[in-house]
Amino acid sequence: KQEVTQIPAALSVPEGENLVLNCSFTDSAIYNLQWFRQDPGKGLTSLLLIQSSQREQTSGRLNASLDKSSGRSTLYIAASQPGDSATYLCAVDYGGATNKLIFGTGTLLAVQP
Amino acid sequence: DTAVSQTPKYLVTQMGNDKSIKCEQNLGHDTMYWYKQDSKKFLKIMFSYNNKELIINETVPNRFSPKSPDKAHLNLHINSLELGDSAVYFCASSQVYGETQYFGPGTRLLVL
């Protein structure tokens, strides 16, 4: 069964800290992996997409890595800010004829000013 | 410039009613999706359409019927609403399969 798990479920850090969010998936035959951000009462915003052939992607203070062999991805946030407070979701796309995203359980991040 | 829009944003209704949620994307994408986010915030795919053709139907009760009148629209009709249908429903689109999905703001459905 294809499952995606995120650890920790919740994280609170002081402003300015660097932090890492973890995502693990049971089936390593992925097509790509996406990281999303969800603010309370809002939709999802795509942050980064890593193709299965890539090892990492960077956007500003965000860096996502992918290790297919171990079934893991990490989202690194540098110099965290209160505005980074949100729920972060990773989603795995296994491609094929029925392309669909399988979402993780999410990490609720609070950055304290 | 709204990329993916959904109406209504909130929907409160009685059990047994029939309701529809509309979704429109102005991104020129070929593929659209419906997701359900339950009370525990877990997101799960319901349907996907590619060029108006149904591709995925993920063990969703047949009370749920998606309709795609054209590539830019994917509406969700729900018959005989049940308490367990209360959730947030998200529409999304992507250029093609396997590319970044763009999500709408969600429709919060509460069945009383």
Side-chain angles (χ1 to χ4, degrees), chain A residues 20-78:
Chain A
V20 175
L21 307 180
N22 297 293
C23 173
S24 60
F25 41 94
T26 54
D27 183 348
S28 62
I30 72 171
Y31 183 72
N32 67 42
L33 183 145
Q34 296 182 48
W35 282 94
F36 292 88
R37 167 187 173 137
Q38 184 174 25
D39 292 282
K42 300 283 179 66
L44 279 69
T45 301
S46 179
L47 298 173
L48 291 162
L49 181 151
I50 312 178
Q51 300 290 353
S52 62
S53 58
Q54 297 175 319
R55 297 281 294 186
E56 65 178 339
Q57 280 285 344
T58 298
S59 176
R61 294 182 294 108
L62 305 179
N63 176 278
S65 69
L66 175 63
D67 183 345
K68 282 199 312 180
S69 61
S70 65
R72 295 185 184 200
S73 175
T74 61
L75 180 67
Y76 174 82
I77 303 177

Side-chain angles (χ1 to χ4, degrees), chain B residues 6-52:
Chain B
Q6 295 179 229
T7 53
K9 189 172 182 180
Y10 298 95
L11 186 52
V12 181
T13 188
Q14 300 287 331
M15 278 177 54
N17 284 350
D18 302 338
K19 290 293 178 185
S20 291
I21 306 172
K22 295 186 177 181
C23 177
E24 177 181 2
Q25 53 96 1
N26 62 6
L27 299 167
H29 288 170
D30 286 344
T31 309
M32 296 184 73
Y33 312 81
W34 276 108
Y35 289 86
K36 179 180 180 180
Q37 187 171 43
D38 62 24
S39 57
K40 296 183 179 178
K41 307 295 185 186
F42 186 65
L43 259 167
K44 188 172 180 182
I45 184 83
M46 298 174 68
F47 300 100
S48 79
Y49 266 72
N50 188 45
N51 276 320
K52 302 196 318 176

